[in-house]
Amino acid sequence: MKFLKILTILFSLLLTFSCTEKTKDITEKEYQNAVSYIYTNYNNKTAFNLFTSVNWLKDSSGIWFIDYSANKKTYKTVSFKGDNKVNELFDHKKFAESLNNIVKDTIEENNISISNIQYEEDKNLSFRTNDKTYVLDLNTYNITEKEQPNKTLGNPGESASPDGKWIAYAKDYNLYIKSTTTNKEYPLTTDGQEGYEYATWYGWADTMSGENGKRPSHFYVDWSEDSQWISTSVVDLRNAEKMYLLDASIDSLYRPKLLSYYRGSPGDTTMVHTKPVFFNIAAKKEIKTELPNNTHINSVYIEWTDRSGIAIANYSERGYKKEHLLEVDLNTNTTKPLFTEESETNIDNFSFRQLKNKEKILVLSEKSGWRQLYVIDTKTGNMSPITKGEYYIHRIQHVDEENEIIYFTASGKEQENNPYHQQVYKTTLEGDVTLLTPENTHHSVSFSEDGKYFADNYSTINIPTKTVLRTSEDGKIISELTSADVSDAIAKGWQAPEVFELTAKDGKTTIYGAFWKPTNFDPSKSYPIIDATYTGPHTQRFPKSFNRIFDSQPLAELGFIVIAVDGLGTFGRSKEFHNHSYKNMGNNLEDHVLAIKHLGNKYSWMDTTRVGIYGHSAGGYDTGRAMLAFPDVYKVGVSSSADHDFRMEKAWWPEMYQGWPVDSTYHQISNVTNAKNLKGKLLLVHGGIDENVNPSATYKFAEALINADKEFDLLILPSQRHGYRGKSRDYFIKKRWNYFVEHLGNQTPIWDFKWSYE
């Protein structure tokens, strides 16, 4: 009897404790805190100059930019002809008064919105606002509307030759040219027809109404610099299969509208094909070449040289294991290989750039195991390395052809730096590399057209952005433009995301991530973890720069620790690092699981028994995969616009990363075929008219879950494509937040909170 009494008391205490915990539900204030960190609400309201866009004046005389602060934005400039000091671009009070007289508005001096700012020949200032161009007299502050020149050449659907003597255009699916002096027209092709179309291109997002709807019209030709040649493509749609969508969101229609578009899936041969074609203007005929008629996912790219009739061609063979760079001489009708690269996995991120006046080509290739810079002498065919080392060159930023100096951004070269942080270097063709940005941060840069200067936003995820102007010769800072200001967020208790490191699944490689905490963080509490995932091998998830500080803050404000991590397999490090994901996309999350366990062991306030995950597109696939392959780790997932089965995806992405031909691995890693493994709570979301990742895979996954008798939730946003906009975007964010609040946070969610922040 006494024992039963004790049990009754204990049960009552547990019930009371449980009820007490349940009454500590999330508050509307926490939602409002989350809302305040959404990009459209915090940007230039509570945080300023996280990233400053620098605009180069066309006359190379200087720059203009906007400096943001509380309740004010100021247009500023730096003149290269002066002392490089920062000055206001104009008197904001006088400008606002004059502009109001013109546009009949009440624009305040601290909230002027103009664009396309340039100096005129008389040193007055032209700008755009309300879809019109105006000129400001900087002496009198009179503003006048600028007359736009009449276009006589190069109208839409036409292309004028550089010398102005010819106009190229398409008619009845054939290519024509017309003399601007005699107005006489000449057909360059005669075999064009609907479905076999000259001077056009394949539009990735071209949707057509109904089964037999017309494809949107596209016109494209590329004139040689001497106006003697045209290159373009013939697009062959005759054997291409379509995918379909039903648009049920049109208010005026009471039956869904059928949409179709050409799209190939992995392994398909019934795809759009494109072939490069060339025409000699004097002979008015096509010059045949041996270049292939490839699918649209590995079409041939053409670029003219400055030598008449000579072009550079670049393409990958199907499967992306072999890359070709060739020289095409239309004068002799010959093709000369310049460079061929082969790989046992795939060739990704290959690029080239001509040094036209030098008859040399710069190539960025991973053939050494790291993405490095090479030069090809097109006269001799010799290829030589310019840079060497275990680091990754991301981009050629500028080339000084006259002095043969190349400016580029790279990561991993400086041993003490985070391997995701990019810095700026210059090199000669002989490989004399010089560091121009010594700060141990990430540098996001843009170069002036003449290459003498570059603007630099440098920061890390926890070091605020400084935006400066540097000389390209030595990287010296000549003007300090703006500094990030997050004092308002700090006053509310915000702290920058924390960076963490651990050893990857290979037992040797260091991987990196970051996590966000709520501003009311209490280390005595226990917080669920949410993995904000995207393991796509073409990108990186690690937040490199300070303008990413609030990426996951809204969700963290609702009582979670949100993590972002790059495991083995993403790009931007070694080829070996990248190769971990090749034909292995189903295992990209193993390092995420290791990261969660690592953080749980290190921090007692991270609860590894309550882990959620969300992602969009490839991140949506990750989410489904996490819930099926690691059901004992991930308990709640929100998967949006996901490619749940790569066999139903657009062809290029899976063929690049999961391999071609399509094999049994596609079946093994499909979320559809693994639906029976679901244990936790899963919300599937898709846009109803998403032509990028067709919603059919989400429907197929849903059907598989139903057949496996698995409980799940499904949300279709009828009017949305791949990226969600407007009210649908807000609705989705609320739905995602509340799914985690209810199922991971075990709290009662609030729906009708205020969706704005003052």
Side-chain angles (χ1 to χ4, degrees), residues 421 459-465 494 496-499 543-546 549:
H421 292 159
S459 66
T460 70
I461 194 63
N462 42 37
I463 297 176
T465 311
W494 173 84
E498 296 183 33
V499 174
K544 300 184 284 289
S545 52
F546 199 68
I549 52 173

Side-chain angles (χ1 to χ4, degrees), residues 605-617:
W605 36 264
M606 286 201 194
D607 186 353
T608 58
T609 68
R610 293 186 295 161
V611 179
I613 185 169
Y614 76 90
H616 189 79
S617 193

Side-chain angles (χ1 to χ4, degrees), residues 590-661:
E590 286 184 25
D591 285 323
H592 290 230
V593 172
L594 288 177
I596 290 165
K597 292 178 179 177
H598 165 79
L599 292 170
N601 290 332
K602 187 173 182 179
Y603 301 107
S604 60
W605 36 264
M606 286 201 194
D607 186 353
T608 58
T609 68
R610 293 186 295 161
V611 179
I613 185 169
Y614 76 90
H616 189 79
S617 193
Y621 165 78
D622 289 342
T623 300
R625 180 66 179 171
M627 300 295 292
L628 304 176
F630 305 97
D632 296 328
V633 176
Y634 294 100
K635 306 301 173 62
V636 181
V638 178
S639 167
S640 54
S641 297
D643 46 351
H644 289 292
D645 190 309
F646 293 160
R647 292 169 294 190
M648 302 176 71
E649 243 278 49
K650 52 187 173 291
W652 81 263
W653 201 86
E655 289 189 14
M656 171 70 80
Y657 301 116
Q658 191 58 32
W660 179 84

Side-chain angles (χ1 to χ4, degrees), residues 303-361:
E303 191 174 287
W304 289 112
T305 70
D306 61 347
R307 292 169 288 156
S308 184
I310 297 179
I312 304 299
N314 172 229
Y315 67 93
S316 176
E317 293 186 12
R318 188 86 181 260
Y320 304 102
K321 290 188 173 185
K322 194 170 185 178
E323 191 84 21
H324 296 276
L325 190 68
L326 311 103
E327 182 179 274
V328 181
D329 189 338
L330 301 173
N331 301 292
T332 59
N333 199 16
T334 57
T335 301
K336 179 175 71 175
L338 296 174
F339 172 66
T340 302
E341 181 178 347
E342 297 186 62
S343 172
E344 293 183 2
T345 55
N346 57 13
I347 298 172
D348 197 5
N349 300 313
F350 175 87
S351 70
F352 74 93
R353 179 164 176 167
Q354 291 189 65
L355 300 181
K356 287 190 174 181
N357 297 326
K358 306 286 185 176
E359 295 188 39
K360 295 176 182 177
I361 297 177

Side-chain angles (χ1 to χ4, degrees), residues 96-107 129-130 134:
E97 290 173 353
S98 297
L99 188 58
N100 284 328
N101 291 332
I102 292 291
V103 300
K104 307 303 181 185
D105 204 344
T106 54
I107 299 167
T129 189
N130 294 342
Y134 296 91

Side-chain angles (χ1 to χ4, degrees), residues 144-428:
T144 55
E145 186 175 345
K146 185 176 181 180
E147 292 185 8
Q148 298 302 307
N150 292 324
K151 293 184 178 180
T152 56
L153 297 176
N155 292 321
E158 298 181 349
S159 177
S161 61
D163 63 9
K165 294 180 179 180
W166 297 95
I167 294 177
Y169 57 97
K171 184 171 66 173
D172 298 329
Y173 307 107
N174 285 295
L175 177 61
Y176 286 74
I177 57 172
K178 179 171 62 177
S179 169
T180 58
T181 55
T182 67
N183 221 31
K184 186 175 181 180
E185 67 176 17
Y186 302 88
L188 297 183
T189 67
T190 57
D191 59 333
Q193 57 181 291
E194 186 173 2
Y196 188 77
E197 304 168 6
Y198 285 94
T200 186
W201 46 274
Y202 165 76
W204 190 258
D206 284 352
T207 54
M208 296 163 280
S209 295
E211 174 63 39
N212 299 310
K214 293 288 185 181
R215 192 171 70 97
S217 178
H218 301 299
F219 173 73
Y220 165 73
V221 298
D222 185 20
W223 287 91
S224 63
E225 294 179 12
D226 63 3
S227 301
Q228 298 302 306
W229 307 85
I230 284 178
S231 76
T232 186
S233 294
V234 58
V235 175
D236 189 349
L237 307 158
R238 293 171 297 182
N239 296 312
E241 290 190 286
K242 295 178 180 177
M243 297 191 80
Y244 298 90
L245 298 162
L246 287 175
D247 187 353
S249 68
I250 303 172
D251 289 342
S252 59
L253 296 181
Y254 298 98
R255 63 180 64 186
K257 180 180 180 180
L258 176 65
L259 300 175
S260 63
Y261 58 101
Y262 293 105
R263 184 61 51 83
S265 297
D268 285 355
T269 56
T270 49
M271 296 173 65
V272 175
H273 282 69
T274 66
K275 184 176 182 178
V277 287
F278 303 89
F279 302 91
N280 180 276
I281 301 305
K284 299 178 181 57
K285 69 175 184 178
E286 181 182 353
I287 307 300
K288 303 287 187 179
T289 71
E290 296 179 355
L291 294 175
N293 178 29
N294 283 351
T295 68
H296 71 85
I297 66 168
N298 65 321
S299 57
V300 182
Y301 170 74
I302 299 296
E303 191 174 287
W304 289 112
T305 70
D306 61 347
R307 292 169 288 156
S308 184
I310 297 179
I312 304 299
N314 172 229
Y315 67 93
S316 176
E317 293 186 12
R318 188 86 181 260
Y320 304 102
K321 290 188 173 185
K322 194 170 185 178
E323 191 84 21
H324 296 276
L325 190 68
L326 311 103
E327 182 179 274
V328 181
D329 189 338
L330 301 173
N331 301 292
T332 59
N333 199 16
T334 57
T335 301
K336 179 175 71 175
L338 296 174
F339 172 66
T340 302
E341 181 178 347
E342 297 186 62
S343 172
E344 293 183 2
T345 55
N346 57 13
I347 298 172
D348 197 5
N349 300 313
F350 175 87
S351 70
F352 74 93
R353 179 164 176 167
Q354 291 189 65
L355 300 181
K356 287 190 174 181
N357 297 326
K358 306 286 185 176
E359 295 188 39
K360 295 176 182 177
I361 297 177
L362 303 175
V363 168
L364 280 174
S365 167
E366 291 182 285
K367 72 189 194 79
S368 71
W370 297 83
R371 197 170 191 232
Q372 294 292 304
L373 189 58
Y374 300 82
V375 61
I376 298 172
D377 187 323
T378 60
K379 290 180 290 187
T380 65
N382 291 334
M383 180 175 182
S384 307
I386 297 175
T387 59
K388 298 177 181 178
E390 296 184 351
Y391 61 95
Y392 188 97
I393 296 180
H394 289 265
R395 184 182 176 192
I396 297 172
Q397 295 287 346
H398 180 77
V399 178
D400 178 351
E401 291 197 19
E402 182 178 350
N403 296 302
E404 297 186 344
I405 297 175
I406 305 149
Y407 298 87
F408 63 89
T409 44
S411 58
K413 191 175 191 306
E414 311 307 312
Q415 294 302 309
E416 70 278 8
N417 288 15
N418 182 304
Y420 291 92
H421 292 159
Q422 299 176 28
Q423 292 181 277
V424 183
Y425 300 84
K426 70 174 183 179
T427 182
T428 62

